[in-house]
Amino acid sequence: MENKILYSITGIFSKPDDIIKAVEKIAELGYKKYDVNTPYPIHGMDSAMKLKPSLLGYFALVFGLTGAITALIFMWWSGTLDYPLVIGGKPTFILPAFIPVAFELTVLVATIGTVLTMLFLFFKLPNNAHPLHDTDYMKKVSNDKFGISVEAKDPKFNEQEVVNLLNELAAEEVNPIHYNNDEIRYKPKIFDLKFIIFLVVAAIATSGASYFTFNKLMFMIPFNWMAEQDKSLAQYKSTFFKDGFAMRQPVEGTVARGFMPYQYHEKPEDAEKSLMNPISITNDNLEKGRAKFNTFCSPCHGYFGKGDSRLNGQFPNPPSLHSDKALNWQDGRLYHVITDGQNSMPPYSKQLSIEERWRVVSYIRTLQRAMKAKEEDLK
Amino acid sequence: MSVDYTYELPVIEGKPTFANINDSISSPMEKMPDKKYYIALSITLTMLMIGLVSIGYTFYKGIGAWGNNIPVAWAFDITNFVFWVGIGHAGTLISAILFLFRQKWRTGIARFSEGMTIFAVMTAGLFPLIHVGRPWLAGYLFPYPNEHHVWINFASPLVWDVFAVSTYFTVSFIFWYVGLIPDFAALRDRTRNKVKKIIYSITSLGWRFSNYHWKHYEIMYLVLAGFATPLVLSVHTIVSFDFAVSILPGWHTTIFPPYFVAGAVFSGFAMVQNVLIFIRKIFNYEHIITLNTLEKMNKIMLATGSMVGYAYATEFFMAWYSGNGLEQFTFINRAFGPYAWAYWTMVSCNVIFPQLFWFKKFRRAIPIMFAIGIFVNVGMWFERFVIIVTSLSRDFLPSSWGHYTPTMIDFGILIGSFGLFFTLLLLFTKTLPVVSIAEVKSVLEGAHPSHHGGEK
């Protein structure tokens, strides 16, 4: 059997009174590195061991304030600076309405922070390699006994003295505790085969799960954003209607609201003779006419009606609106072309209302006048 | 019966030793479950299955599978949510508020009721998720940097709710876990099973009962209790804001926060009391969870039940006193309208039956307190139903009134929520110590030094 390194000498007591007396004596003698292990916190033990009060409360305070301030700053920053969004006409920073969230985050951050600080910073847990673990001593103090463990690292430590002292204090049992040699020699290996296999399996599992979730699962019912619904779509076959059409025809003889039959269909000369422009030449009307012209006419005829759009050369060239033919036409003829179409030009009666067509006509007249401006127009 | 008030009654009866406590609390985890346990588990799992099928059907078909429809857009789902969050409140009250008040009798029931808190909040959390219809999109409720660059509206009560309930769950869980660490360590040193030993070693984090640790641990417990106390009050307050911040008659009242908190504690205590009656019998914990403890719980139920009754009266008074016709109509409609049956169920269960607890005989009679506990839970469920459904079904314009009738799926999900809660509870009784070992040891007679100058 190889030599074991001594960790501590332990004494077991079974009455709270005895352990308190023993601890007071050991503290009095000036031992520094010793521990008391009890199945529950015993009143008066802290003062017997001459321990200072715990500082954990201050950590809780700092964490709580951090939570509160972070929450308030974040709510102010997100709503006021980053993306101001006015909801219900309220200001973007509303302190009373932000208090619930700020309070919750105070509690959350304080709780998590305090517990993690205590467990990992103060206690340095998890620590299953401590020499006290898996000893009879630990089994007793976790059940119904109270124990003192005087460490060999204590400057005053002398094995025989401590054993005698504990016996003097009427300890029920006095036992030495040694380090476990296997635990001391154990060195974690990063390139262990098992560890590498674990990493590979973890990588495949997470990437596979992510691939499945984002590329397959999100396209399945019911996760697919309601892409498939029990309704008829236009252009699709309907199983509901006898004729198989999902799109329905209006009832025969239905007239749309505001519909006026156009009586000069394919009769340009009659239109030119009979139709008069009802629109008065005002800035407002011309402005509106220009907007419609730029939307519907300029893609072919160009912004100034010269036929110089980007379709020039790729198509039957769009005609200029400044030709003699167009200049000599009456308003009614221009209106007719917009309404009925001509050659390659489709009718625009669906896109433009009657009033809008007349405004476009007025605007074309303005363009024509502007292109052939007379001396007195400058005045 | 004369009572001697000159000394404190022992919290734990029968003078057990520390080792007895260790043995009796660990024994349910060391024995194989018996037939009765499997029968109970099969019942709760069946209920859970009914719920899962109903929820699956809801996901497939959409919320149309429920009875909800405009104007009653909130019904069983939100009723169940508020009900289950309320059940959770008793656990935090016992573990945090009674701890701050130094009520030693709480030690026997604290762990179990904390567990119930966690399971109740888990059950409750299910309902807002399934209520949104597309629960996998619930992540939008949290402020995260997204491609739209838009943040959530922090002034919305529904967002407060998300923060309150998730914080409540996290804090309750941490509170519960740090309480379990010393017990895991005690179990680690008891067990002879290798697998269990590994599990307990991991979960106990290598706790070694050092007094250096106990010193901080006690402060931490105090700090956490200090945080959990306002937290538990804030959670149901914020849940009540979901209603109170709206402008609906019957919801738009400032009495809601205290009234909801009192109601939550009321129903939570009823649930804890009901379950503990079984636990103490089945596991032979009658000396740890004593009749005195149950009596004290019944007193709290009497107090909170009377507060709830007072709130009902105040609501009626305020409706009349406000002079607001809509408000007055809402309350008359509650008591005499189409949902009058629900209203009177609520009043009789919550206000009338708990008044029996004024008599000591009833406070200490187990069958009677059990029956009253059941009534209280039925009544409190109906309270939420009455508040939500009656206010929504008849609000302002009579032309937009509606009537709500639950569907089979609604009932299926309600049954499923009880199935989930009791399944978790049954698993808890066999896997974790349902009573805190370390805390109960510290309240035994003779657990602390008898003569320590000035310390005691």
Side-chain angles (χ1 to χ4, degrees):
Chain A
M1 197 185 143
E2 44 186 337
N3 282 336
K4 283 188 166 181
I5 306 164
L6 185 68
Y7 169 71
S8 69
I9 299 290
T10 59
I12 291 277
F13 299 81
S14 61
K15 283 208 183 95
D17 287 344
D18 296 345
I19 184 95
I20 284 274
K21 262 190 244 161
V23 170
E24 276 171 349
K25 181 80 185 166
I26 284 173
E28 214 171 89
L29 288 172
Y31 286 96
K32 294 280 177 241
K33 285 196 169 292
Y34 66 97
D35 201 352
V36 179
N37 303 82
T38 54
Y40 55 87
I42 291 186
H43 292 172
M45 186 59 79
D46 294 351
S47 64
M49 287 174 78
K50 300 192 167 67
L51 298 183
K52 286 181 193 138
S54 170
L55 295 176
L56 201 59
Y58 297 99
F59 280 83
L61 178 71
V62 171
F63 282 119
L65 287 176
T66 312
I69 293 167
T70 316
L72 282 174
I73 290 178
F74 179 77
M75 286 187 276
W76 165 74
W77 171 82
S78 66
T80 306
L81 291 188
D82 188 50
Y83 200 116
L85 203 57
V86 177
I87 297 162
K90 297 188 195 93
T92 49
F93 182 82
I94 326 161
L95 188 60
F98 286 175
I99 284 182
V101 172
F103 171 76
E104 299 301 332
L105 278 172
T106 309
V107 172
L108 186 67
V109 174
T111 305
I112 295 176
T114 311
V115 169
L116 292 187
T117 307
M118 181 189 80
L119 290 178
F120 302 125
L121 211 69
F122 282 27
F123 297 175
K124 306 221 167 19
L125 295 180
N127 180 4
N128 276 313
H130 196 275
L132 284 183
H133 282 312
D134 275 329
T135 57
D136 280 343
Y137 173 77
M138 185 47 76
K139 289 204 166 93
K140 280 181 180 134
V141 299
S142 71
N143 186 4
D144 57 348
K145 304 288 184 197
F146 312 97
I148 300 176
S149 148
V150 182
E151 285 178 35
K153 279 182 190 153
D154 192 286
K156 261 179 69 89
F157 186 82
N158 175 314
E159 191 172 347
Q160 203 47 50
E161 261 177 39
V162 174
V163 171
N164 290 343
L165 175 65
L166 286 171
N167 279 327
E168 239 170 71
L169 290 165
E172 285 179 6
E173 287 173 37
V174 178
N175 285 314
I177 290 189
H178 298 278
Y179 283 102
N180 184 331
N181 284 342
D182 291 342
E183 276 179 2
I184 295 173
R185 282 198 221 101
Y186 180 76
K187 290 220 166 52
K189 282 180 289 181
I190 292 175
F191 294 108
D192 192 74
L193 184 66
K194 277 183 199 158
F195 183 64
I196 289 173
I197 291 174
F198 167 77
L199 283 186
V200 170
V201 169
I204 291 172
T206 44
S207 57
S210 325
Y211 178 82
F212 175 75
T213 307
F214 294 114
N215 294 316
K216 301 286 170 211
L217 188 69
M218 292 309 280
F219 296 94
M220 290 177 189
I221 297 174
F223 303 101
N224 57 356
W225 304 91
M226 298 164 94
E228 278 165 53
Q229 299 176 14
D230 284 342
K231 68 174 186 190
S232 298
L233 294 171
Q235 318 300 340
Y236 279 77
K237 194 172 167 132
S238 167
T239 51
F240 184 76
F241 295 110
K242 266 185 195 159
D243 60 4
F245 288 109
M247 253 163 110
R248 307 309 298 157
Q249 294 289 331
V251 179
E252 219 156 295
T254 310
V255 176
R257 284 183 69 158
F259 172 76
M260 287 292 283
Y262 184 59
Q263 60 199 75
Y264 305 108
H265 184 54
E266 292 185 356
K267 290 177 198 154
E269 281 81 18
D270 291 0
E272 185 166 17
K273 261 183 253 162
S274 326
L275 289 173
M276 296 290 286
N277 191 345
I279 297 292
S280 53
I281 307 295
T282 63
N283 234 358
D284 183 46
N285 275 332
L286 290 177
E287 218 27 77
K288 283 177 178 159
R290 178 165 75 155
K292 293 293 171 193
F293 181 88
N294 287 350
T295 306
F296 295 106
C297 313
S298 72
C300 298
H301 293 289
Y303 283 107
F304 304 106
K306 286 178 180 168
D308 56 349
S309 70
R310 53 186 282 272
L311 284 183
N312 207 327
Q314 302 180 17
F315 202 61
N317 275 348
S320 166
L321 300 177
H322 303 289
S323 62
D324 288 345
K325 186 173 92 176
L327 282 172
N328 293 331
W329 273 353
Q330 295 297 312
D331 283 1
R333 185 68 186 262
L334 286 171
Y335 178 85
H336 175 84
V337 172
I338 298 172
T339 310
D340 229 18
Q342 178 183 281
N343 302 331
S344 306
M345 175 173 161
Y348 278 80
S349 53
K350 290 264 163 56
Q351 289 90 332
L352 296 168
S353 69
I354 293 170
E355 217 180 15
E356 284 165 349
R357 279 174 248 162
W358 283 118
R359 286 196 191 115
V360 170
V361 170
S362 305
Y363 181 65
I364 294 171
R365 287 284 175 237
T366 317
L367 283 178
Q368 288 172 342
R369 176 99 176 253
M371 281 295 155
K372 296 241 165 77
K374 292 176 191 140
E375 194 86 11
E376 71 244 35
D377 289 345
L378 291 171
K379 284 173 191 165
Chain B
M1 197 174 99
S2 67
V3 184
D4 182 5
Y5 289 106
T6 52
Y7 76 100
E8 212 178 339
L9 279 175
V11 178
I12 309 297
E13 287 169 356
K15 294 194 199 294
T17 63
F18 296 126
N20 288 156
I21 293 292
N22 232 22
D23 292 341
S24 63
I25 297 178
S26 326
S27 71
M29 287 165 285
E30 289 164 355
K31 280 184 291 196
M32 282 304 281
D34 58 2
K35 211 172 183 180
K36 275 188 243 160
Y37 181 79
Y38 285 117
I39 293 172
L41 198 63
S42 62
I43 294 171
T44 62
L45 281 173
T46 310
M47 288 161 74
L48 178 60
M49 211 50 219
I50 293 172
L52 289 179
V53 169
S54 307
I55 290 173
Y57 183 78
T58 306
F59 287 169
Y60 189 77
K61 270 289 170 192
I63 299 296
W66 301 351
N68 303 21
N69 213 338
I70 302 297
V72 188
W74 287 3
F76 264 39
D77 42 2
I78 303 300
T79 304
N80 295 343
F81 164 68
V82 181
F83 174 76
W84 282 112
V85 173
I87 294 293
H89 279 45
T92 321
L93 186 107
I94 290 167
S95 61
I97 300 183
L98 295 185
F99 178 80
L100 294 183
F101 282 115
R102 297 276 185 265
Q103 296 294 311
K104 282 189 191 160
W105 58 273
R106 69 174 267 293
T107 48
I109 56 173
R111 167 71 45 74
F112 195 78
S113 48
E114 282 167 28
M116 287 178 69
T117 296
I118 290 164
F119 304 140
V121 176
M122 281 164 76
T123 312
L126 203 64
F127 285 98
L129 283 185
I130 60 172
H131 163 82
V132 299
R134 295 278 178 273
W136 50 95
L137 303 180
Y140 288 148
L141 288 163
F142 289 95
Y144 70 102
N146 55 38
E147 69 269 40
H148 312 295
H149 295 277
V150 185
W151 299 100
I152 54 174
N153 175 16
F154 286 107
S156 159
L158 299 181
V159 167
W160 303 343
D161 222 17
V162 172
F163 278 86
V165 174
S166 51
T167 302
Y168 186 44
F169 177 77
T170 316
V171 171
S172 302
F173 187 81
I174 291 174
F175 205 23
W176 194 54
Y177 180 70
V178 292
L180 273 166
I181 291 174
D183 290 3
F184 279 135
L187 292 170
R188 171 197 70 199
D189 291 339
R190 268 181 73 85
T191 187
R192 292 198 187 83
N193 181 318
K194 270 188 180 170
V195 180
K196 276 188 182 175
K197 172 117 187 158
I198 292 172
I199 294 172
Y200 290 138
S201 297
I202 293 169
T203 48
S204 70
L205 302 171
W207 180 264
R208 49 184 190 272
F209 300 96
S210 158
N211 198 59
Y212 288 101
H213 293 182
W214 282 124
K215 179 185 88 171
H216 296 300
Y217 185 87
E218 284 195 293
I219 292 294
M220 182 276 313
Y221 214 78
L222 189 68
V223 166
L224 250 58
F227 279 122
T229 298
L231 176 69
V232 66
L233 300 180
S234 86
V235 172
H236 231 60
T237 298
I238 288 173
V239 168
S240 81
F241 282 164
D242 288 346
F243 306 99
V245 174
S246 77
I247 54 163
L248 200 70
W251 285 8
H252 188 61
T253 52
T254 47
I255 197 180
F256 261 25
Y259 160 31
F260 267 54
V261 172
V265 172
F266 184 43
S267 66
F269 263 75
M271 186 67 99
V272 173
Q273 179 241 54
N274 272 351
V275 178
L276 284 180
I277 286 173
F278 284 103
I279 293 293
R280 69 197 285 270
K281 191 86 199 158
I282 293 170
F283 295 135
N284 295 322
Y285 290 166
E286 274 134 328
H287 59 301
I288 299 173
I289 304 165
T290 61
L291 202 55
N292 290 333
T293 305
L294 292 177
E295 188 189 351
K296 286 183 176 109
M297 296 182 68
N298 291 339
K299 284 180 182 169
I300 292 181
M301 279 162 66
L302 175 61
T304 48
S306 304
M307 283 184 214
V308 168
Y310 173 73
Y312 296 160
T314 309
E315 276 192 314
F316 261 86
F317 172 77
M318 284 311 296
W320 166 76
Y321 189 68
S322 69
N324 182 325
L326 292 163
E327 196 77 20
Q328 288 166 357
F329 170 77
T330 300
F331 283 93
I332 290 169
N333 180 47
R334 267 186 198 171
F336 304 107
Y339 294 107
W341 56 275
Y343 182 81
W344 293 108
T345 310
M346 162 190 108
V347 169
S348 50
C349 289
N350 287 352
V351 186
I352 298 169
F353 288 118
Q355 297 304 316
L356 290 176
F357 283 148
W358 284 107
F359 303 101
K360 186 158 188 165
K361 221 182 3 181
F362 293 134
R363 283 203 303 268
R364 296 182 74 89
I366 292 198
I368 291 177
M369 68 168 99
F370 183 76
I372 294 178
I374 300 247
F375 279 135
V376 167
N377 271 317
V378 171
M380 283 309 293
W381 190 88
F382 271 105
E383 181 198 296
R384 280 64 176 252
F385 179 81
V386 164
I387 290 173
I388 293 169
V389 172
T390 61
S391 306
L392 283 170
S393 68
R394 295 191 164 184
D395 48 7
F396 300 101
L397 279 180
S399 62
S400 23
W401 288 356
H403 192 83
Y404 167 76
T405 317
T407 62
M408 290 293 285
I409 303 295
D410 281 316
F411 283 108
I413 296 175
L414 175 62
I415 291 168
S417 72
F418 279 90
L420 174 64
F421 179 74
F422 285 111
T423 304
L424 290 169
L425 215 55
L426 279 173
L427 296 177
F428 168 48
T429 58
K430 278 287 175 190
T431 45
L432 297 171
V434 292
V435 177
S436 172
I437 300 174
E439 276 189 44
V440 167
K441 281 180 190 165
S442 82
V443 295
L444 286 184
E445 281 177 280
H448 294 287
S450 49
H451 57 85
H452 193 67
E455 271 296 319
K456 240 201 147 183

